[in-house]
Structures are given as structure tokens and as C-alpha cells.
Amino acid sequence: MNFSFDVEKTDPSGGRLGRLTTPHGTIETPVFLPVGTAASVKALTQEALEELGTELILANTYHLYLRPGHELIRKLGGLHQFMAWPRAILTDSGGYQVFSLSELRKVTDEGVRFRSHLDGSEHLLTPEKAVEIQLALGSDVAMVLDECIETPAPREAAESAVKRTTEWARRARRYFLDCASRNGNLPQWQFGIAQGATFADLRRESARRLLELDFPGYAVGGLAVGEPHALTCEMTGEVTALLPPERPRYLMGVGRPEQLADYVALGVDLMDCVLPTRAARHACLYTSEGRVLIKNARYAQDQQPIDAACSCAVCRRYSRAYLRHLFAAGEITAAILATHHNVHFYLDIMRQIREAIEFGNLAKFSSAMHARYATGPS
Amino acid sequence: MNFSFDVEKTDPSGGRLGRLTTPHGTIETPVFLPVGTAASVKALTQEALEELGTELILANTYHLYLRPGHELIRKLGGLHQFMAWPRAILTDSGGYQVFSLSELRKVTDEGVRFRSHLDGSEHLLTPEKAVEIQLALGSDVAMVLDECIETPAPREAAESAVKRTTEWARRARRYFLDCASRNGNLPQWQFGIAQGATFADLRRESARRLLELDFPGYAVGGLAVGEPHALTCEMTGEVTALLPPERPRYLMGVGRPEQLADYVALGVDLMDCVLPTRAARHACLYTSEGRVLIKNARYAQDQQPIDAACSCAVCRRYSRAYLRHLFAAGEITAAILATHHNVHFYLDIMRQIREAIEFGNLAKFSSAMHARYATGPS
């Protein structure tokens, strides 16, 4: 068995300390996945990711399917070899990107027909196709295709999406197990995704239906898309409360630094978000004192590091004044250094969260984080 | 004495093996300077530059004067501290950028009046001001302000530019020595620049006038701006033949990979060029087999490194197929990896050139380089 998940300790608040073992390394959970949309975490080399201690990244099925194409990646030995990344990779199903990026999408029971945002070419993504693409990519963890809907969603739309997501999950699971049994051994882990918008009963319904399909891991999708944080937490909790404790849970697309511990306290083990990388490219830096908008004139002569409490390579060497200058001058190196720092900051929060669980004081850590980020950026 | 230059060996072809000592390290010459226009070599961190073995970089007085301003850099401890680069820095005088980038420039004997390309603000750059800015930056080697003219230049314009460049060099030298004597010790080395367009007698005249001012090093400016390579070499040779052998010579703004050894054979010790970094950002990679335009469809499935003969971190890890994908997807990491490789390639040529001088076969090395780069890019 190449895959396993073990919960080693549970915090009084509900946070879990665990280990996710994959053929590409063992990951300490709770873990944050930097987002490598097109087989690259923007502005970071794979060497930098390793230096940062990244154990698991997310790549986007939608993007890689369209460019360079999953068949090409399969031919070149899979995604790990293609991008020279020997550690673990999780791929999403493409569902979210089809709904947020593509044009003229049309959802039927069969799947979703859409036009590429790159060249307008027409494609049909089905639950089976999403499995096939991810098997070609050879990621360690694959996600089933789900129907993502706009929020806030009327109840009827949410009900229909749960129904379709359930049926698609069933087809995806069957197709995946067929492929896997043909291969003889399990090439990857497949996770189901619970939908249900902001309706607690639909979230529970979605989770229960997924449980029948016996996935090795479960995700919560369609959240953190504009609704209040408390609602994100409530919906997440509805799902995780029903999930078997021995299987990993993945909350997709979250979150802000001060929110991560809250999700962990709800029993979440995996999280991913573009925030640290995207914010970095927009000159927003995360620090132990809150957000720093480094383009601000107040930093022009500031010889301090981005965060005096940070041990990253950028904070050990460069000043705020220099970072500000690089952004003002439009230098590529601005994005490199800012991204490095922000990803380090997120991974460091996760280290602190794991330590807090170890010592049983996750709730205290969470309060401290919220207090630090209560004020606006400086 | 913080500065010195020693020629250790001379090749039969005229190439010199030397050591340039500065307060920020000793540089083996001939040396190629990566260009760090705005206090950053585009797409490379200072860590990467160190890893590449860079001993000396070039920064642009014009750009740093306009943004973030030399007074700010002085206040923050000088350019080395500002950009966290402990190794040597050479700054140009800003002359070339004023002529190529700024608007509404007007040259008088006093200096050159221009409008910033950033915000249209009006500035006056004089020989004294160029000295002052570079002293504020605290670079190891500073250049005098010269008058750059368009090429091909009519003889009359070239004559007038040589005359003015000579007079400006005289003022710059006097002002610099005044400042230096006030400081008690020599804060940097100041190099003169020979002009003269493509007129051999004017080049010689310019060099002779500079020699009277007793600079510790001499540069050849205004070449490699469109004229044939043979003419660049001829003009360079006219100048270097007159220069004292014990002082370093700097050929500004060159060159292509296959041309570097030719300049070295003419007695050149320092060279700088945006080519390796700029070409990298445009997906043009330099290899031992010639140029590789990595966006070409032929590389889509190419699992080889950029250059099988290259030992750089990029060639040791990534494939051409992945590089091509990164450029196609517009990923920042494309620029990072390509720049890393190209700068390594240039620095490696210089290592090979120094080795060739050591063994007395620079001419042979030069022929081999020209043969490799005789065909177009692939």
C-alpha cells in the first residue's frame, strides 16, 4: 500500500495532527498546499519550494488539460517528472476552473461542455474524463468532478448541484476503480467533494451520499467564495462532523492567514489557496503583525526586514526599502522575494498550528491570529 | 590601498589573465558583468547571483538616480547594503541612458538637461553630478559622464563628442579627486571612457586625452551599437593599443557569446551586456550548440536539458519541454530559469576564456565559438 493516513493526535478543539503517506513522500498534516496552477507555483522554482519545506502542491487539471495537454504529460512520464518535482502533488478536477474561467459552458448530466479561455476550442469534461486526465498526470491525490455553482445560490440550484455532484462522484469512483483494477495497483488516491452551497442539510446530504462511495478522503468544495467566515466554518463543520475520523479531509480554496486554524479546529487536514502567491505579486505581504502593503511610501526608508519575527531567506537578507523599490521599479525579483516570504509565512503558520495541536492549545493560537489580523493592512 | 589590478598572464593573442581587487572582493578577469539596471539583475535573486559565481555586477546610475534616488540609497548605507549584495558593483555614469531613454535632452558644455522617462521631471546631469551620484551609491567602480551620439555618426559630430567627453572627463576627474581627498581615502575607482564613434584617429585622440588624466582604468564606449563586429574590434583595438597594460580595460555593452573572446584578445578585461538576461526573458537560450528558441514547437516533447553540456542548476533539473511550457503559459518561473541558465552560460564562457589564456590557446577557443554560433538559432 503506497497510501495511508494516520491521525496521531487530536486537539481539544478538534484539530488533528496526522501523517499522509504517498508514493512521493509523507506529509505532516494539517498541511497547506501552495497552488501551482500550470505546473508551476508562480515565481518560485522547485528548488525554492523544497527550501521552503513544501511537501505537497496543488496543480490544476483544467489548465494542464488545455496546455500542454495531459497526453503530452503522460508521454513525458507524468507531472512529477514533467515539472521535476519529486514530492507529492494533488490535482483538482477542473470543475471549479470550468465554471470560473471558461466560456459558454453548458452543464448536462453527461458533463460540462465549455470553450477554452485560451483559444475558444470546444471541450467536454465528464466525470470519467476528469479521472482519465488526472491518471495521465499521475498526481498523488485526484479530485472527482463536481458541479460548482455561483453563490449565493438559490436552494433549488444548490439541490440540483448536489444531486449532480453525487451522481458524477458515483461515475468517477466506478471509472477510477475500473482503471485502478486494470493497473493492478492503486496509482493515486481519489477524493470525493461535498457541495451544498450554504444549506446545512444539503451539505450533510452531499456528505452522506459520498460516504456510500467509500472514498479514501473527502473534500469540502464551493466555500470561501464570498460568504462570511462564520458561514464557511458552519458549512465545513456540518460536513466534517459526518466524515470518518480516520480519513483525510480537504477544505478547498482557503484561506486567510487568521482563518487557517479555525478550519483545522473543524477537523480539516488539507487546505490550498492562491492568496499567499497572488497577494505577493500584488505587493501584499503577510507578517506576524498583520498585512504589509509594501508599496506604501512609509516603507521607502525602512531598513527592517518584512517581518522581524520571520526566519525566511528573504527576511534574513533584504529590507522593506529594497522590496518597495523592486515593486516600484516593476522588477521580476519583487514577485520572487515576496512570494517566497508569503509562502514561508503560510507554511510557518501550519507548523505553528501543528505545534499548537501537539500542546493542545489550538484555540488560543486561533484567537491570537485573529487579534493580529483584526486591524487593516499597514 | 583597497583597489588594485594585476595582470598575471598574457596570451599570445593579447588576452590578459588578471585580478581586480576591490573592497568587495577580488574579481578574476576577464570578467563579464551581469546587468542589474535598477539594483536587481532581472529575475535573479542575489542568492542566485552568488550561486552562479557572480563577482561583479553593473548597476545603472541613471535609473537609480531617478528611482529610488541616490540620496535615499546613501542614507540607507549605499548600494551594497540597499540591495544586500556584498560583492563588487560597477556603476555607469548615466550618459548612455540619458541619450537612449530620456526625453527632450539638450546637451551643452555644462552637461545634459533631460526629462525623466518615468515622470517627465526635468534634470541636469553634469560630470560633477555623475560623480556625486556614484559616490552616494558607493559603487566600487564609477564611470565618468561621456557624450554618447547616434551611430553611424558624421565625423563632425564624433569630433565634437570626443572634445566634450574629454572636457567632461577632466572635470569629473578633478571633482572626484577633490571629493576623495576630502574623504582621506579613496572610496572607489573612477574609469574614463574613450569615445570617437567609428573613426580610428578620433578613438586614438580620445584615449590619449584620457591618459593625461591618469585614470586607474579605461573604458571604450559607444561601440556595439549596430556597427559590424569587425569594426567594433578595430575601434576597440585602436584604444587598447594605447592604454597602459597595467590598468584594467572595460568594453561597455558587449557582447554576443561568440564575440567575447575576440574582445578579450584585444586586451579587454571587463565587459557587460543585457543580452543574456534580456534574451532569456524572450525565450532565447544560449547553449554550447548555439541559440535555442525554446518556444519552438520542436521542443514540446524534448526531455533533454537546455544544454546537455551545461552544469547549471536549471540544466541539472529541468527539461526543454518544461521550459517551453512555462514560456507558453506565461509563467514568471520561465524568466527565472532561463535567466539563470543564460547568465551561467556567459560566466562559463568567461571561465573557459580564462582557462584558454592560461593555456595560451585563446585564438583557438575564439574560432570554435564562432563556428558554433555560425548558424542561426534552432
Side-chain angles (χ1 to χ4, degrees):
Chain A
M1 183 65 165
N2 292 323
F3 295 91
S4 64
F5 179 69
D6 299 290
V7 176
E8 293 173 343
K9 191 160 194 166
T10 301
D11 180 86
S13 73
R16 301 132 53 88
L17 206 58
R19 291 169 74 85
L20 175 64
T21 299
T22 77
H24 294 93
T26 293
I27 297 122
E28 293 186 53
T29 62
V31 65
F32 177 83
L33 291 66
V35 177
T37 306
S40 170
V41 176
K42 292 188 196 308
L44 292 183
T45 63
Q46 275 67 306
E47 287 87 345
L49 286 169
E50 285 173 351
E51 186 194 327
L52 287 162
T54 312
E55 295 179 331
L56 175 61
I57 61 167
L58 178 135
N60 282 101
T61 289
Y62 170 84
H63 286 96
L64 295 173
Y65 161 71
L66 292 178
R67 184 174 59 196
H70 61 295
E71 286 301 348
L72 184 139
I73 291 178
R74 187 209 304 267
K75 200 169 164 183
L76 298 183
L79 191 51
H80 291 89
Q81 189 167 335
F82 178 65
M83 65 181 290
W85 175 249
R87 301 189 184 178
I89 302 173
L90 179 151
T91 43
D92 66 9
S93 64
Y96 180 76
Q97 281 72 34
V98 166
F99 287 90
S100 60
L101 291 177
S102 73
E103 292 158 25
L104 294 174
R105 63 178 178 277
K106 187 170 159 38
V107 188
T108 63
D109 287 342
E110 186 189 11
V112 51
R113 197 171 290 279
F114 65 95
R115 284 190 189 278
S116 159
H117 74 290
L118 297 175
D119 62 5
S121 56
E122 201 178 294
H123 302 267
L124 173 67
L125 187 63
T126 64
E128 293 80 8
K129 181 84 182 177
V131 169
E132 200 181 302
I133 297 169
Q134 292 175 87
L135 282 171
L137 296 177
S139 52
D140 297 282
V141 179
M143 306 303 297
V144 297
L145 185 66
D146 54 344
E147 184 180 356
C148 302
I149 55 175
E150 284 174 23
T151 39
R155 181 168 176 98
E156 209 168 85
E159 264 176 14
S160 151
V162 164
K163 205 173 153 193
R164 190 169 271 144
T165 293
T166 303
E167 178 52 25
W168 284 0
R170 196 183 316 275
R171 282 164 54 190
R173 189 72 188 139
R174 192 185 313 134
Y175 188 79
F176 175 82
L177 291 174
D178 281 356
C179 294
S181 68
R182 272 204 303 281
N183 275 322
N185 72 334
L186 199 68
Q188 67 189 178
W189 256 8
Q190 185 189 42
F191 283 15
I193 306 175
Q195 288 289 345
T198 49
F199 303 97
D201 61 325
L202 294 183
R203 285 279 167 192
R204 289 193 296 270
E205 165 73 9
S206 184
R208 285 198 199 95
R209 295 289 82 79
L210 287 179
L211 287 171
E212 296 167 5
L213 300 171
D214 194 28
F215 286 98
Y218 297 89
V220 184
L223 288 177
V225 287
E227 80 281 1
H229 176 56
L231 194 53
T232 314
C233 288
E234 188 195 329
M235 292 300 117
T236 302
E238 291 289 351
V239 176
T240 53
L242 298 177
L243 297 176
E246 72 279 8
R247 304 213 175 162
R249 300 90 173 262
Y250 166 30
L251 180 56
M252 305 180 80
V254 297
R256 296 182 181 276
E258 71 276 20
Q259 300 171 339
L260 301 177
D262 300 335
Y263 301 133
V264 169
L266 292 164
V268 168
D269 308 298
L270 289 78
M271 291 173 278
D272 78 281
C273 194
V274 294
L275 202 55
T277 44
R278 183 175 292 166
R281 298 196 302 283
H282 290 91
C284 173
L285 305 171
Y286 293 103
T287 79
S288 56
E289 306 284 319
R291 275 169 293 165
V292 163
L293 304 182
I294 195 69
K295 278 188 177 175
N296 196 309
R298 68 194 288 185
Y299 301 119
Q301 302 191 19
D302 191 336
Q303 294 193 270
Q304 302 221 293
I306 299 168
D307 185 352
C310 177
S311 64
C312 86
V314 176
C315 287
R316 287 201 309 269
R317 181 162 195 160
Y318 303 96
S319 68
R320 291 172 165 191
Y322 183 59
L323 260 291
R324 178 182 188 271
H325 164 68
L326 291 180
F327 272 106
E331 288 289 331
I332 294 176
T333 309
I336 301 173
L337 299 181
T339 304
H340 194 100
H341 169 80
N342 274 2
V343 170
H344 181 276
F345 184 75
Y346 264 65
L347 298 184
D348 199 54
I349 288 178
M350 299 313 294
R351 276 186 283 269
Q352 292 177 57
I353 285 176
R354 291 195 298 268
E355 200 177 276
I357 299 172
E358 187 74 67
F359 292 101
N361 55 12
L362 183 61
K364 203 173 137 195
F365 176 81
S366 173
S367 305
M369 281 300 292
H370 277 283
R372 276 180 212 162
Y373 275 79
T375 55
S378 62
Chain B
M1 181 65 164
N2 291 324
F3 295 91
S4 65
F5 180 68
D6 300 289
V7 177
E8 293 173 344
K9 191 160 192 167
T10 302
D11 179 88
S13 74
R16 301 133 53 90
L17 206 58
R19 290 169 76 84
L20 175 65
T21 298
T22 77
H24 295 93
T26 294
I27 298 123
E28 294 187 52
T29 62
V31 65
F32 177 83
L33 290 67
V35 176
T37 305
S40 169
V41 176
K42 290 186 196 310
L44 293 183
T45 63
Q46 276 66 306
E47 287 86 344
L49 286 169
E50 286 173 351
E51 186 194 327
L52 286 162
T54 312
E55 296 178 330
L56 175 61
I57 62 167
L58 177 136
N60 283 101
T61 290
Y62 170 84
H63 287 94
L64 294 173
Y65 161 71
L66 292 179
R67 185 174 59 197
H70 61 294
E71 287 301 348
L72 184 139
I73 291 178
R74 187 209 304 266
K75 200 169 165 183
L76 298 183
L79 191 51
H80 291 88
Q81 189 168 335
F82 178 65
M83 65 182 290
W85 175 250
R87 301 188 184 178
I89 302 173
L90 179 151
T91 43
D92 65 9
S93 64
Y96 181 75
Q97 281 74 31
V98 166
F99 286 91
S100 60
L101 290 178
S102 71
E103 291 157 26
L104 294 174
R105 62 178 178 277
K106 186 169 161 37
V107 188
T108 63
D109 287 341
E110 186 189 12
V112 51
R113 198 172 288 279
F114 65 96
R115 282 189 190 279
S116 159
H117 74 290
L118 297 175
D119 62 5
S121 56
E122 201 178 294
H123 302 267
L124 173 66
L125 187 63
T126 64
E128 292 81 7
K129 182 85 181 176
V131 168
E132 201 181 302
I133 297 169
Q134 292 175 88
L135 282 170
L137 296 177
S139 53
D140 298 281
V141 179
M143 306 303 298
V144 297
L145 184 66
D146 53 344
E147 183 181 357
C148 302
I149 54 175
E150 285 175 23
T151 40
R155 181 168 176 98
E156 208 166 87
E159 263 176 13
S160 152
V162 164
K163 205 173 152 194
R164 190 169 272 143
T165 293
T166 302
E167 178 51 25
W168 284 1
R170 196 182 316 274
R171 283 164 52 190
R173 190 68 187 142
R174 192 185 313 133
Y175 189 79
F176 174 84
L177 292 175
D178 280 357
C179 295
S181 68
R182 271 203 304 279
N183 275 321
N185 73 333
L186 199 68
Q188 67 188 177
W189 255 9
Q190 185 188 43
F191 284 14
I193 306 175
Q195 288 289 345
T198 50
F199 303 97
D201 62 323
L202 294 183
R203 285 279 167 191
R204 289 193 297 271
E205 166 72 9
S206 184
R208 283 198 200 96
R209 295 289 81 81
L210 287 180
L211 286 171
E212 296 166 5
L213 300 171
D214 193 29
F215 285 97
Y218 296 91
V220 185
L223 288 178
V225 286
E227 79 283 2
H229 176 57
L231 193 54
T232 314
C233 288
E234 189 195 328
M235 292 300 117
T236 303
E238 291 289 350
V239 176
T240 53
L242 298 177
L243 297 176
E246 72 280 6
R247 304 213 175 160
R249 298 91 173 261
Y250 166 30
L251 180 56
M252 305 179 82
V254 296
R256 296 181 180 277
E258 72 275 20
Q259 299 170 340
L260 301 177
D262 301 335
Y263 301 134
V264 169
L266 292 165
V268 168
D269 307 299
L270 288 79
M271 292 173 278
D272 77 282
C273 194
V274 294
L275 202 54
T277 44
R278 182 175 293 167
R281 297 196 304 282
H282 290 91
C284 173
L285 305 171
Y286 292 103
T287 79
S288 56
E289 307 282 319
R291 274 169 294 165
V292 164
L293 304 181
I294 196 68
K295 278 189 178 174
N296 196 309
R298 68 194 289 186
Y299 300 118
Q301 304 192 18
D302 192 337
Q303 293 193 271
Q304 302 221 293
I306 298 169
D307 185 351
C310 177
S311 64
C312 86
V314 177
C315 287
R316 286 201 310 268
R317 181 161 196 162
Y318 304 95
S319 68
R320 291 173 166 190
Y322 183 59
L323 260 290
R324 178 182 187 270
H325 164 69
L326 291 179
F327 272 106
E331 288 289 332
I332 294 177
T333 310
I336 302 173
L337 299 181
T339 304
H340 195 101
H341 169 81
N342 274 2
V343 170
H344 181 277
F345 185 75
Y346 263 66
L347 298 184
D348 199 55
I349 288 178
M350 299 313 294
R351 276 186 282 270
Q352 291 176 57
I353 285 175
R354 291 195 298 269
E355 200 178 277
I357 298 172
E358 186 74 66
F359 291 101
N361 55 12
L362 184 61
K364 203 174 139 196
F365 176 81
S366 172
S367 306
M369 281 300 292
H370 277 283
R372 277 180 211 162
Y373 275 78
T375 55
S378 61

